[in-house]
Amino acid sequence: MQKEFLFSKIHRATVTDANLEYVGSITIDEYLLERANLKEWQKVEILDVNNGERFQTYIMKGEAHSGVICLNGAAARKVQKGDKVIIVAYAMLDENEEKVHKPNIIIVNDKNEII
């Protein structure tokens, strides 16, 4: 049997933009993606600390070291520029994997730099 566990998290990132006119997704700084072990096109859940919204979308790669956290398309209606968000991904693990699994947690400052 497999169970779902936290795989990776970018904690309290600051939304730098919200682009309603884009097709959809969240654009995330490529450096943050690498450090969090997240991949472009991967499904993620977005938790908005400011307004309590929780929704899912997929990742698009942004410029490395730019600090970009931009919600695009319909998701842009659920956040405001400056909001704090938690970006999480989950993984299905079997009993052997869950014994050794450690989630990858990245904590960032107000400029979306890893601290």
Side-chain angles (χ1 to χ4, degrees):
M1 173 173 54
Q2 291 192 323
K3 298 179 224 163
E4 197 167 17
F5 286 84
L6 177 66
F7 174 72
S8 192
K9 173 169 84 165
I10 300 174
H11 189 70
R12 293 185 63 86
T14 302
V15 174
T16 59
D17 200 5
N19 183 355
L20 184 60
E21 300 306 317
Y22 194 79
V23 177
S25 71
I26 182 170
T27 304
I28 302 175
D29 176 317
E30 182 178 13
Y31 179 70
L32 292 178
L33 290 178
E34 290 171 1
R35 294 293 306 271
N37 196 22
L38 294 170
K39 306 291 183 217
E40 189 168 34
W41 314 118
Q42 185 175 357
K43 177 180 169 181
V44 288
E45 187 171 13
I46 311 301
L47 318 172
D48 190 309
V49 175
N50 294 77
N51 65 23
E53 287 281 356
R54 297 175 72 101
F55 55 94
Q56 296 176 345
T57 190
Y58 62 91
I59 297 168
M60 290 187 63
K61 197 182 320 183
E63 182 181 341
H65 302 284
S66 65
V68 65
I69 300 289
C70 178
L71 279 299
N72 302 303
R77 293 206 181 269
K78 297 188 170 282
V79 301
Q80 298 282 327
K81 185 176 178 180
D83 280 3
K84 295 292 185 184
V85 293
I86 301 168
I87 303 163
V88 293
Y90 302 96
M92 298 299 290
L93 304 177
D94 63 31
E95 290 180 20
N96 291 326
E97 292 169 319
E98 70 183 62
K99 291 175 184 174
V100 297
H101 175 69
K102 298 279 189 252
N104 194 352
I105 299 173
I106 303 299
I107 300 173
V108 297
N109 64 17
D110 289 341
K111 295 180 183 178
N112 295 328
E113 300 165 329
I114 297 171
I115 54 175

